[in-house]
Amino acid sequence: MSSIIGQPISRVDGVLKVTGGARYSSDIPLANLAHAVVLHSTIAKGRITQINTTAAEQAPGVLGIVTHLNAPKLHSISFAQPGQPPSAVGRSLPILQDLVIHFSGQQIGVVIAETLEQAEYAATLVQVTYAEESPITNLHTVLEQAFYPDKTDALGQPLETKRGDLETGWAAADVQIDQSYTTSTNNHNPLAPFASIAVWEGEKLTVYDASQWVQNVRLVLAATLGIAISNVRVVSQFVGGAFGCGLRAWPHVTLAAIAARHVHRAVKLVLTRQQMYTFVGYRPQTVQHLRLGATRDGKLTAIVHDNLSPTSPFDEFVESTTNNSRVLYACPNVATTHRLVRVNAGTPTYMRAPGESVGTFALESAMDELAYALELDPIELRLRNYAETNPETGLPWSSKSLRQCYQIGAERFGWSNRDQKPHSMRRGNTLIGLGVASAMYPVYRLPASAMARIAVDGSVLVQSSVTDISPGTYTVMTQVAAETLGLPISQVRFELGDTDMPEAPLQGGSMAMASVGSAVQAAALALRGKILGLAIADEHSPLQGVNKEDVIAMEGRLCLQHDHSIGETYSEILMRNQMTQLEAQSSSMPGEERQQYSMYSFGAQFAQVHIDIDLGMMRVARFLGVYGAGRIINAKTARSQMIGGIIGGVGQALEEETVMDETNGRIINANFGEYHVPVQADIGKLEHIFVDEHDPHVNPLGVKGIGELGLVGVAAAIANAVYHATGKRVRNLPITLDKVL
Ligand code: MOS
C-alpha cells in the first residue's frame, strides 16, 4: 500500500487559486453590497474635540456614517472573561466609545456608501478637530515607566524565570559575553489586505473574514456586540496570507458588523495597505540584554536574558523572546525577564515565530560571540552545551534530532571549508561569510474536532472549522483523511473555515496539523469503524464476524490484512444497508504525554553571505536549513513552509523595518515601496533537509508543526555570517549596509 502521507502532492485548492475560483473574504458575491471606509485618527495622542460629518453625509451615494456620536454601546473584553479562548483575544480597545486617541491610525468612524469610491470620497469630507498632546513614540525616553507584565504569555510560556544560582555561575565563568541586541518593528504584509463582509439577517450576524481563528472572531464579536454566540457565524475559507495578524478579531471586524447594522445592508470593509500597518498589530521592536558566562572549555555556566518591548496604552502584549534561552542549552544557572513600556502605538501582536525568532537572534548571536571569544568552532560550542534533556524541567525530549541537524548541515554546507578568522574569505571584490545558528520551536497542541461523512458513491466529505492561511491545510488534511480511509485524494474533499463546522483551534503557533490533523484522523477512523461495524454484523458481508484489528482500508475497500481478496467496498456496505450516507464526528486532544515529555522541533540554520567591499551591499547567496520536525505530511507544501520561513528571516535580518516619525507617531513607510521585503532578486540558493524523525509521543500523527521553525535562527545565522565576512558584529536588526561599511 503506497502511503499518501508524506507525498509531495500539489495543493488540492491550487487550480481554484490560480483560476480565481477561490473566494477570499472580500470576494463573496452578495446582492446589494454596500462599501465601508474606516476613518482613523491623524494624531497619536489627545482627544477628538469635534467630528463634523455634515458635508460627508450629503455626498453622493452615502448611506450612513458611524462615529462616537451615534455608535452602539460596545462591551470591552479581556483575557479574564469566562468562556474566552486563552490566547490571542487581547483586551481590545472598545472603538467609538469615547473621544480619547491613543495612537495615530486609531479607528474613529466608518463611512458607508453605495460604492467604494463614493465612500472614499465622502471620508475625505469628514472634518475632525483634535486637542493634541505630545505622544510617547520612543520607548527609550520613558524607560523609568517600564513595568513587568503578567507571569506568563498567552501561550503559557513563563515571562520571568530563574534556575540555579547566578552568583555561582558567574564565579565559574572564565569568559563572559555581555551585550545588547535590538530588533526593529516589523509589520505583517500578507498579499491580500484584510477584509470583512458583514451581513445581518434579523438578529443573526454572518461575517466573512480574513482570519486564522474563526471561533475566536465569533466569540469576540458576540462579546463586543453583546449578542448570543449562537447568533454569530464567521466564515473564512481562503486567506491571502497571515502571519499572526489574523489571530485576533481586530476592531475593523466589529466596525463592519456595526456598519452593516447601521445601513441594514450587507457591508464590505477592506483595509488599505496603509491601514494594515496600524489596524492589525505588528511585531514590536525589542531591546534585549544578553549575558553569557562560560568556562574556558566552552561550558555555559550562566545565561541572563532581559527583554524590553513596547505595548499600547490600553493592551499588554509581550514579545516573549527568552523561551529558547531557557531551554536550548544545558546551562545550570539561568534567569530571564520581560518588561513592557507603553507607547502611543497600536497593540503589537504575534508575528511568525513570535518571541522565538527575535529572541534567538540575540541568543545565537551571543553564542557566536562566545565561540570567537573561546576560539571554538561555533558548532563545536553548541555541541558542548547540548541539552540531552530539557534543562529547565528535567523531562526527556519526546524526540530531538538537533545533533544530526548540525552534522548533516555542516557536511552538506561545506562547513569544514570555512576559515574561522573573520574577514578571511574573499573572492575579488566580494567578502564571503559563513554563519550558523540553532532553531527550536515548541510543539503545541489544542483540542480539536472534525466530521467525516461518506456518500454511497464512496466519496468523503471532511469538515473542521480550522482556517487555511495558505500553508496547504486543505491539502494535508485531505491526505490524512484519504490515507486513513484508504481512498485516493480525488475521493476526499476537506472543507474548513466556518464556525458552523466542528470546533477547531487557531491556525497559529504551528499547531494546526498537530491539533486538527489528529482530529481529522480520529474522525476518519471513527467513520471507518462505523462502516466496519456494519459489515462485521452483516451475514451477507465477506467481513462478517472478523476481528476489527485484522482489517485494513485500501483502494476504497475494507479488507483483511492477510488476504486482500476478502473484503468489500464502502459503497457495497452502504448500499446493502440502504444508506445514502454515513457520518462520524470525533475530537482529539492532548493527554498526559505532555506532562511526561518535553516537545520541541529543532533545526540548524546555515547562511552564506556575499558583501561588496566598496558598497557594503549584502546578499544571502546560499542558505541551508536542516530540521527535525517529526513526520512530514506533504514534502512539497512543507518545502514551501521552510523556504518561506528562510525568506522571512532574510527580510528580518537585512530589510524589514517599520519607521515611526517620533514627532507625530505616524508610520513613515507604511507601503511596499519603502517597507522592504525580500524579492526574488534578494534570494540566493535555498535548501532544506528534514531529518528522518519518528516521534511516538507528540500526537497520533507524529507531526511537530513547521509553520514557524524555518524562521527561527535565520537572522542570527545571517548576522553571524556578516561578522565572519567583515569582522563587524551588527547587533541591531535589520543589518543594512550603512552598519557594515
Ligand atoms: Mo503564527 S504568529 O502563530 O500565525
Side-chain angles (χ1 to χ4, degrees):
M1 185 173 72
S2 75
S3 175
I4 295 173
I5 289 180
Q7 293 300 310
I9 288 165
S10 292
R11 288 164 191 264
V12 296
D13 51 338
V15 171
L16 270 186
K17 282 190 166 174
V18 297
T19 56
R23 288 207 171 120
Y24 295 81
S25 61
S26 61
D27 298 335
I28 308 300
L30 296 178
N32 209 22
L33 198 57
H35 297 263
V37 165
V38 183
L39 303 168
H40 54 81
S41 72
T42 55
I43 67 159
K45 187 175 184 208
R47 295 174 71 82
I48 297 170
T49 49
Q50 198 188 25
I51 294 189
N52 186 338
T53 58
T54 312
E57 273 157 21
Q58 285 154 12
V62 170
L63 299 167
I65 300 175
V66 185
T67 67
H68 69 275
L69 298 167
N70 59 346
K73 167 102 181 83
L74 299 177
H75 305 267
S76 60
I77 53 166
S78 77
F79 283 124
Q81 192 142 329
Q84 298 292 343
S87 59
V89 177
R91 270 171 284 187
S92 294
L93 177 71
I95 39 169
L96 314 188
Q97 302 299 294
D98 60 26
L99 300 165
V100 184
I101 300 297
H102 300 279
F103 65 97
S104 180
Q106 179 180 322
Q107 297 87 350
I108 58 171
V110 60
V111 178
I112 311 109
E114 292 288 348
T115 69
L116 175 61
E117 292 75 13
Q118 288 170 333
E120 281 173 342
Y121 174 65
T124 67
L125 302 178
V126 176
Q127 290 161 348
V128 187
T129 52
Y130 301 94
E132 193 172 357
E133 294 168 44
S134 176
I136 299 167
T137 53
N138 181 339
L139 60 79
H140 296 280
T141 62
V142 285
L143 282 181
E144 75 284 356
Q145 293 171 17
F147 62 100
Y148 293 92
D150 294 343
K151 292 290 177 240
T152 57
D153 73 3
L155 289 167
Q157 297 280 5
L159 294 173
E160 198 175 330
T161 66
K162 202 162 211 173
R163 74 166 180 258
D165 176 53
L166 287 168
E167 290 309 314
T168 312
W170 299 128
D174 300 314
V175 181
Q176 285 192 30
I177 301 296
D178 186 346
Q179 291 293 351
S180 287
Y181 303 85
T182 66
T183 61
S184 65
T185 307
N186 285 182
N187 274 89
H188 311 80
N189 268 301
L191 204 52
F194 275 15
S196 310
I197 292 179
V199 196
W200 290 87
E201 289 155 295
E203 288 304 297
K204 288 208 179 284
L205 170 66
T206 302
V207 173
Y208 301 89
D209 193 30
S211 173
Q212 293 174 246
W213 193 2
V214 289
Q215 305 285 357
N216 184 42
V217 176
R218 182 193 208 198
L219 287 171
V220 171
L221 281 172
T224 307
L225 297 168
I227 59 178
I229 287 172
S230 57
N231 276 340
V232 183
R233 179 182 172 211
V234 178
V235 180
S236 190
Q237 289 177 325
F238 289 95
V239 181
F243 303 90
C245 53
L247 289 170
R248 279 181 64 167
W250 296 99
H252 70 271
V253 187
T254 308
L255 270 183
I258 293 172
R261 194 152 63 178
H262 187 73
V263 300
H264 306 288
R265 295 262 296 263
V267 165
K268 168 149 78 173
L269 188 159
V270 184
L271 302 193
T272 63
R273 179 57 62 185
Q274 187 187 2
Q275 287 170 340
M276 287 297 290
Y277 284 76
T278 49
F279 282 22
V280 297
Y282 54 92
R283 192 200 296 277
Q285 67 179 114
T286 64
V287 180
Q288 303 178 56
H289 185 207
L290 214 97
R291 201 171 154 203
L292 303 180
T295 59
R296 178 59 39 213
D297 65 351
K299 287 256 196 264
L300 285 165
T301 59
I303 301 174
V304 175
H305 191 168
D306 299 307
N307 186 71
L308 178 74
S309 59
T311 191
S312 67
F314 49 90
D315 265 345
E316 286 171 23
F317 175 86
V318 186
E319 183 78 5
S320 45
T321 54
T322 65
N323 296 340
N324 286 352
S325 300
R326 293 188 286 108
V327 289
L328 184 47
Y329 297 113
C331 176
N333 312 301
V334 178
T336 67
T337 66
H338 291 81
R339 284 181 307 154
L340 290 177
V341 177
R342 294 196 189 279
V343 298
N344 289 106
T347 306
T349 197
Y350 309 95
M351 184 166 164
R352 200 172 194 176
E356 274 81 3
S357 73
V358 285
T360 305
F361 161 68
L363 175 66
E364 291 295 278
S365 292
M367 284 295 280
D368 202 65
E369 300 202 46
L370 182 61
Y372 276 97
L374 293 166
E375 296 178 359
L376 265 181
D377 179 89
I379 296 177
E380 177 58 28
L381 174 65
R382 286 165 174 82
L383 289 172
R384 289 191 189 180
N385 293 285
Y386 198 80
E388 300 294 350
T389 56
N390 182 314
E392 193 169 60
T393 61
L395 288 175
W397 307 108
S398 62
S399 63
K400 179 178 182 179
S401 310
L402 182 57
R403 191 175 272 116
Q404 294 93 306
C405 294
Y406 293 136
Q407 283 162 354
I408 294 169
E411 204 166 298
R412 174 73 75 96
F413 201 65
W415 188 254
S416 60
N417 301 327
R418 172 180 180 269
D419 181 341
Q420 167 104 345
K421 246 188 10 265
H423 207 281
S424 62
M425 293 174 72
R426 179 175 177 161
R427 194 183 301 141
N429 239 13
T430 303
L431 294 173
I432 296 172
L434 303 181
V436 69
S438 311
M440 180 174 191
Y441 196 79
V443 180
Y444 295 113
R445 183 181 172 199
L446 286 173
S449 308
M451 183 284 293
R453 182 192 302 146
I454 190 163
V456 72
D457 65 356
S459 66
V460 170
L461 172 68
V462 183
Q463 293 181 326
S464 179
S465 63
V466 68
T467 58
D468 185 350
I469 57 175
S470 285
T473 307
Y474 276 104
T475 309
V476 287
M477 297 299 169
T478 304
Q479 285 176 266
V480 169
E483 165 127 354
T484 309
L485 287 161
L487 289 168
I489 287 285
S490 58
Q491 283 282 89
V492 178
R493 189 156 52 97
F494 182 73
E495 293 181 346
L496 53 68
D498 189 329
T499 49
D500 282 353
M501 296 174 185
E503 282 230 30
L506 61 163
Q507 179 164 57
S510 299
M511 70 178 95
M513 199 67 226
S515 309
V516 183
S518 299
V520 166
Q521 186 188 43
L525 280 173
L527 178 62
R528 195 174 113 176
K530 263 191 178 180
I531 303 173
L532 180 57
L534 292 174
I536 289 174
D538 185 348
E539 60 179 301
H540 300 294
S541 170
L543 295 171
Q544 189 209 3
V546 302
N547 255 334
K548 274 191 173 182
E549 293 71 41
D550 297 336
V551 178
I552 57 166
M554 59 179 286
E555 292 166 10
R557 299 167 76 240
L558 292 171
C559 59
L560 289 181
Q561 184 154 24
H562 65 265
D563 183 353
H564 297 174
S565 71
I566 299 175
E568 58 182 336
T569 64
Y570 294 123
S571 298
E572 284 166 331
I573 299 171
L574 289 179
M575 275 197 286
R576 194 156 1 83
N577 284 278
Q578 289 159 10
M579 290 176 165
T580 53
Q581 59 179 45
L582 187 62
E583 156 177 334
Q585 183 158 337
S586 197
S587 298
S588 179
M589 63 197 68
E592 280 181 1
E593 71 280 359
R594 297 196 73 86
Q595 276 75 58
Q596 294 158 351
Y597 295 96
S598 180
M599 303 175 178
Y600 287 86
S601 55
F602 295 89
Q605 311 275 27
F606 293 83
Q608 176 170 337
V609 299
H610 290 178
I611 301 176
D612 184 287
I613 282 180
D614 301 314
L615 303 174
M617 290 198 326
M618 275 167 284
R619 191 161 188 275
V620 178
R622 202 158 64 93
F623 201 98
L624 169 67
V626 187
Y627 310 103
R631 194 177 188 192
I632 299 303
I633 303 292
N634 182 320
K636 192 171 187 173
T637 54
R639 172 180 152 75
S640 294
Q641 283 299 291
M642 303 331 286
I643 65 172
I646 295 167
I647 293 167
V650 172
Q652 185 176 51
L654 302 180
E655 302 184 39
E656 296 192 47
E657 181 173 22
T658 304
V659 182
M660 183 183 272
D661 182 335
E662 291 186 4
T663 61
N664 59 24
R666 290 188 200 170
I667 292 172
I668 296 168
N669 59 341
N671 57 67
F672 273 159
E674 291 156 296
Y675 182 99
H676 291 172
V677 294
V679 297
Q680 203 65 30
D682 294 323
I683 300 301
K685 184 179 174 197
L686 302 184
E687 278 188 293
H688 79 293
I689 296 171
F690 286 112
V691 174
D692 203 21
E693 189 177 74
H694 300 275
D695 191 319
H697 307 298
V698 274
N699 48 61
L701 285 170
V703 300
K704 287 187 170 177
I706 53 172
E708 341 240 357
L709 179 67
L711 178 61
V712 182
V714 176
I718 292 171
N720 295 343
V722 168
Y723 175 75
H724 180 236
T726 62
K728 283 207 174 148
R729 179 67 65 181
V730 182
R731 302 184 184 89
N732 318 100
L733 296 186
I735 306 169
T736 44
L737 52 82
D738 52 298
K739 296 176 187 170
V740 299
L741 270 176

